[in-house]
Amino acid sequence: MTANRSKTIAIATTTLVVAAALLTGLLLTLTPRTGSPEGKRSADSRTQGPAGAVDLERRIGEYTSRFGEDSGYRRPSRDDRRAVARGVGLLLDGDREQAREQLSDVDFEIRTVTDSATGRRYAEIADRTEDARSPRGWGRVYVDLDTSATWSVQVPHPVADKRTEQLGVSVLRGSRGGILVIAGAHRAAGREDASDVAHRTDSVFDAVCDELVRRGLPGLQLHGFADDSAPRYDVIASMGNGEVARPEGRALADALRARDFDVCRAWVRSCPLEGRTNVQGRKAAEEGVAFLHVEFSNTVRTSRARAARVAEAVTAVTAAWSTGGPADRPTG
């Protein structure tokens, strides 16, 4: 009898051990481990946003980090310029496949990137020669894919106008429906100022901006000045050669002033660096499209806190543009 009882206990114990092992294995199967891809995605999602997302500011910073006065620039032909502009236009029309084919003919490609800071998807139109030994320097375009594009922010002098490219990303993030157009070379990289795209009509940058103006999309162009060039001011705001953007200019200047920036309003008084010779501004004026030329001091651009306040102020304009309307008309 004692032997039977011992045998029964042994069987029961073995059954419990087996059951415990099976349960442990099941739990390990269902629970992602820290080192597994599933567990890593679960942990990262709390800090990095959507799976596969990238920090757009860092991405563009890495791109422009290669720019220098001696990095080179190849002047595009008329056909090259038109091809890229048509590709951008086809993408805005919703024909991505045709846009891809058009851009591929001139060695551009379209990628989709998700910005980790906002969760928004953007089409990145980029030059395949960027990683070549001698990049052409034709730039990039980012288009909001989550809503219809209704406005643009333009960065013609990345690196040369320090941190304007980072400011451009902050402005893009501030409102929906934006397009970021960024030049692909330092303004002094080309011979005879060929890469100074704010003053040239023979660049890919200008061709893309012309396509946006043709579609009636308002634009905001970002520049930078040395502090001692206009020591009384933090910001110089103008409409270039146009008058259409006066409501937007006033709204922007008021929003900047409310955040303790000293602004020179070029439509009120004579200001340095008014952008009267800016070719994108001239084209916008000819077509009656709103355009703002905005210069920021070095102190403003190189301070993250001040740059963040600037980007917040700019939404006084871009938020209205994102709905397809003009900025509110302020009283001052």
Side-chain angles (χ1 to χ4, degrees), residues 8-330:
T8 300
I9 292 173
I11 292 171
T13 301
T14 300
T15 302
L16 288 172
V17 169
V18 171
L22 290 172
L23 180 59
T24 300
L26 180 61
L27 289 173
L28 288 172
T29 300
L30 295 176
T31 304
R33 289 167 291 176
T34 303
S36 70
E38 293 85 356
K40 189 175 189 302
R41 281 198 296 269
S42 177
D44 289 350
S45 65
R46 293 190 295 270
T47 58
Q48 295 185 2
V54 299
D55 183 332
L56 196 56
E57 181 180 339
R58 179 178 297 176
R59 186 179 185 87
I60 290 176
E62 291 172 350
Y63 167 54
T64 60
S65 66
R66 292 167 281 179
F67 294 4
E69 295 184 20
D70 58 352
S71 57
Y73 174 77
R74 187 190 308 174
R75 187 180 302 178
S77 69
R78 178 180 295 182
D79 288 343
D80 292 331
R81 302 193 303 267
R82 289 178 173 175
V84 178
R86 279 198 298 267
V88 172
L90 286 166
L91 182 65
L92 295 178
D93 289 336
D95 196 340
R96 183 169 181 138
E97 191 55 39
Q98 285 294 320
R100 188 189 305 278
E101 291 180 9
Q102 175 73 63
L103 291 164
S104 181
D105 288 343
V106 287
D107 280 331
F108 269 69
E109 61 185 341
I110 306 175
R111 312 181 190 101
T112 297
V113 297
T114 301
D115 179 28
S116 59
T118 61
R120 295 183 199 151
R121 297 178 309 122
Y122 294 95
E124 178 185 75
I125 300 173
D127 187 348
R128 289 196 184 107
T129 74
E130 287 172 3
D131 296 323
R133 180 174 296 179
S134 300
R136 297 180 296 192
W138 292 356
R140 285 186 181 182
V141 181
Y142 289 85
V143 179
D144 190 339
L145 291 176
D146 294 331
T147 188
S148 297
T150 54
W151 59 276
S152 75
V153 54
Q154 305 161 15
V155 182
H157 299 146
V159 179
D161 288 356
K162 190 174 181 180
R163 294 196 64 80
T164 49
E165 61 269 33
Q166 284 80 12
L167 185 55
V169 174
S170 297
V171 170
L172 181 69
R173 286 170 168 170
S175 300
R176 294 186 178 276
I179 301 172
L180 172 61
V181 187
I182 181 168
H186 191 285
R187 67 183 299 176
R191 295 180 179 178
E192 300 177 351
D193 296 325
S195 57
D196 184 0
V197 298
H199 302 100
R200 305 283 302 211
T201 59
D202 58 353
S203 70
V204 168
F205 180 93
D206 185 68
V208 171
C209 291
D210 277 0
E211 175 66 22
L212 302 183
V213 165
R214 189 181 70 79
R215 293 166 176 269
L217 272 61
L220 175 84
Q221 194 168 110
L222 308 179
H223 292 263
F225 65 90
D227 291 349
D228 58 3
S229 296
R232 293 177 54 197
Y233 300 109
D234 299 306
V235 186
I236 300 165
S238 79
M239 300 173 290
N241 275 355
E243 291 291 330
V244 178
R246 188 179 292 268
E248 287 88 344
R250 288 174 175 168
L252 175 59
D254 286 351
L256 288 165
R257 184 69 189 90
R259 290 163 178 80
D260 298 323
F261 293 107
D262 292 320
V263 184
C264 188
R265 307 177 187 224
W267 54 91
V268 174
R269 62 179 57 86
S270 177
C271 300
L273 306 167
E274 292 183 353
R276 302 288 184 185
T277 60
N278 182 281
V279 298
Q280 290 81 43
R282 287 183 171 182
K283 180 66 173 180
E286 290 172 5
E287 300 296 329
V289 174
F291 175 86
L292 290 175
H293 180 283
V294 192
E295 296 263 3
F296 299 94
S297 72
N298 182 68
T299 297
V300 169
R301 286 177 283 117
T302 56
S303 164
R304 283 195 171 272
R306 290 186 177 97
R309 298 207 316 271
V310 162
E312 183 182 24
V314 172
T315 61
V317 174
T318 58
W321 283 348
S322 69
T323 62
D328 293 335
R329 294 180 181 271

